[in-house]
Amino acid sequence: MTERDTQREADLLAAALRQDSADLGLYARVLSANLADWLPPGAVQVARRRSMADRMAGREGTVTGLDVALGEQRLALRLDRERVVAEIRKEVRAVVLSRREVPLDEWIGALARALAEAAATNARAREAVERFLS
């Protein structure tokens, strides 16, 4: 896959990811479930808040955060009182080299680029990209 193909795929992915971002709670739930299923084990960590009602009913609880590790890039999304906090970090061997809070739109673009780049070399990531685009 050429760099141009990767960029085109990243643009398509970003558009697909953006279309569902209006309801942030639903967006975080859908994104966390899909990414956790489609990416390699350990690449996605989901934080949840479980109420007593959730525990009694055997439900997983409400998604409050999402952390996606793709290569040296770590993309974190956290819901904080109906406000989304998006962060992009660069990590090497669990050492954070840089960290910056970004607007949701920029975070979505970074996730799309990271997924497209991973899809070029990883069959499971390729599958995730194809499912997002279909």
Side-chain angles (χ1 to χ4, degrees):
M1 182 180 286
T2 67
E3 187 174 324
R4 187 175 185 196
D5 291 338
T6 301
Q7 182 58 48
R8 182 174 180 280
E9 197 165 70
D11 292 343
L12 290 171
L13 265 170
L17 289 167
R18 280 186 191 100
Q19 76 182 7
D20 295 326
S21 64
D23 179 348
L24 297 173
L26 177 63
Y27 181 67
R29 276 194 312 274
V30 169
L31 190 60
S32 65
N34 289 335
L35 289 176
D37 287 345
W38 298 337
L39 291 177
V44 178
Q45 295 177 355
V46 180
R48 298 179 188 277
R49 183 184 67 241
R50 290 182 73 198
S51 67
M52 183 59 75
D54 290 331
R55 290 182 187 127
M56 298 296 290
R59 294 185 298 248
E60 292 182 321
T62 305
V63 174
T64 58
L66 176 68
D67 195 71
V68 182
L70 292 165
E72 293 181 349
Q73 192 169 47
R74 194 166 209 95
L75 301 147
L77 188 65
R78 193 173 72 249
L79 296 175
D80 184 26
R81 295 188 187 125
E82 302 302 318
R83 182 176 92 84
V84 173
V85 178
E87 184 180 80
I88 299 173
R89 297 186 306 263
K90 182 173 181 175
E91 287 186 11
V92 177
R93 291 187 287 266
V95 175
V96 178
L97 300 178
S98 67
R99 172 189 311 245
R100 62 190 176 98
E101 199 171 298
V102 297
L104 180 60
D105 198 48
E106 185 177 336
W107 187 89
I108 290 170
L111 176 63
R113 281 188 303 281
L115 284 171
E117 289 169 7
T121 60
N122 181 300
R124 204 156 177 188
R126 174 89 227 137
E127 195 176 303
V129 167
E130 288 171 359
R131 288 189 188 185
F132 268 118
L133 295 178
S134 61

